[in-house]
Amino acid sequence: MTVSTDPGAAADAAAPPETRRARGPIWAAVLALVLGVALGIGIGLSIPHFTKPGDDSVEAGFLRDMSTHHAQAVEMSMIAHQKSDDAEIVYVANDIALTQHGQIGYMQAWLRDWGLSPTGSQKPMAWMPNSAGSVVNGLMPGMATPEQLTKLRAASGKELNTEFLTLMRQHHLGGIHMAQEAVKLSDNKDIDWIAESMVQSQQTELGLIDDLLKKVQAS
């Protein structure tokens, strides 16, 4: 998927100074993500991995499920990026799409390196103990329903902005929960690193989303 950054740059220029300063933690997280992967690849070339996660492991399950979870966040963000009339929302949507699309690439690459399929035979969230109640109609924590996605695609103006921010807020809360559980359950350094990166970036974005939601609702 190709994501244009030109609209995001325009939104950055249009955003007030205090808004641009608030973006710092997001871009710092993205930079840390890129540098960390580069370092991890270098280390991986020099240090042999004697064991690799299996098909039914916590690590494989988390990467597969989070890839699916991220894909929906990218889809929703691109809708807002293309249709929102609010420069700040366009900017945040661009950040989310770029970050999570990049993370999908890393997660899928690790599955390939481990000789595993990008999809597995297990049900969603099977890697997390006592997770049956967190899957509703086949959807993982925080994911939007098909009906909600249809409504988002058809919306415009204030309705679009409110719907996007509300759905993405819930999506981030679910994603943070999944990432935190992966850190608890896995002893794989790559999993710990990317999951902790997800928690950090999405918690930062949650603060921005909450501020924007208040602004939109008051308008």
Side-chain angles (χ1 to χ4, degrees):
M1 186 189 79
T2 301
V3 179
S4 172
T5 58
D6 288 342
D12 189 19
E18 62 271 18
T19 298
R20 294 198 296 270
R21 287 195 295 270
R23 307 306 182 205
I26 295 178
W27 287 111
V30 174
L31 180 59
L33 185 69
V34 174
L35 293 176
V37 168
L39 180 60
I41 292 173
I43 293 173
L45 292 175
S46 60
I47 300 176
H49 293 270
F50 297 105
T51 61
K52 296 180 180 180
D55 191 62
D56 60 350
S57 65
V58 166
E59 292 78 13
F62 170 72
L63 293 184
R64 288 165 174 157
D65 283 355
M66 191 57 83
S67 292
T68 300
H69 202 272
H70 270 26
Q72 188 183 76
V74 172
E75 178 184 2
M76 293 193 298
S77 295
M78 290 310 301
I79 293 171
H81 184 269
Q82 294 165 4
K83 297 182 63 179
S84 177
D85 58 359
D86 187 303
E88 291 183 289
I89 292 176
V90 170
Y91 194 110
V92 170
N94 187 59
D95 281 341
I96 293 171
L98 286 173
T99 301
Q100 297 208 17
H101 185 258
Q103 289 173 340
I104 290 172
Y106 304 142
M107 292 188 287
Q108 293 297 302
W110 284 331
L111 287 170
R112 288 195 300 271
D113 289 345
W114 299 342
L116 301 177
S117 168
T119 59
S121 59
Q122 292 186 317
K123 294 181 179 180
M125 304 297 293
W127 55 274
M128 186 190 299
N130 304 315
S131 63
S134 64
V135 178
V136 181
N137 296 325
L139 297 174
M140 289 174 280
M143 292 188 71
T145 66
E147 294 77 17
Q148 288 173 322
L149 289 176
T150 298
K151 182 179 179 181
L152 178 64
R153 295 186 191 102
S156 61
K158 181 176 180 178
E159 181 185 7
L160 169 73
N161 295 334
T162 303
E163 191 72 12
F164 168 70
L165 293 170
T166 301
L167 291 177
M168 191 57 71
R169 185 181 191 281
Q170 187 63 31
H171 201 275
H172 271 21
L173 289 173
I176 289 171
H177 171 64
M178 291 169 63
Q180 289 173 331
E181 289 299 310
V183 172
K184 293 178 184 178
L185 295 170
S186 176
D187 58 2
N188 182 286
K189 292 183 179 179
D190 289 333
I191 296 296
D192 288 348
W193 169 76
I194 198 167
E196 288 169 353
S197 297
M198 291 173 185
V199 172
Q200 179 182 357
S201 63
Q202 292 188 36
Q203 284 179 336
T204 299
E205 288 164 353
L206 272 177
L208 296 172
I209 288 170
D210 285 344
D211 289 344
L212 287 171
L213 193 55
K214 290 176 184 177
K215 187 191 80 170
V216 170
Q217 291 173 336
S219 65

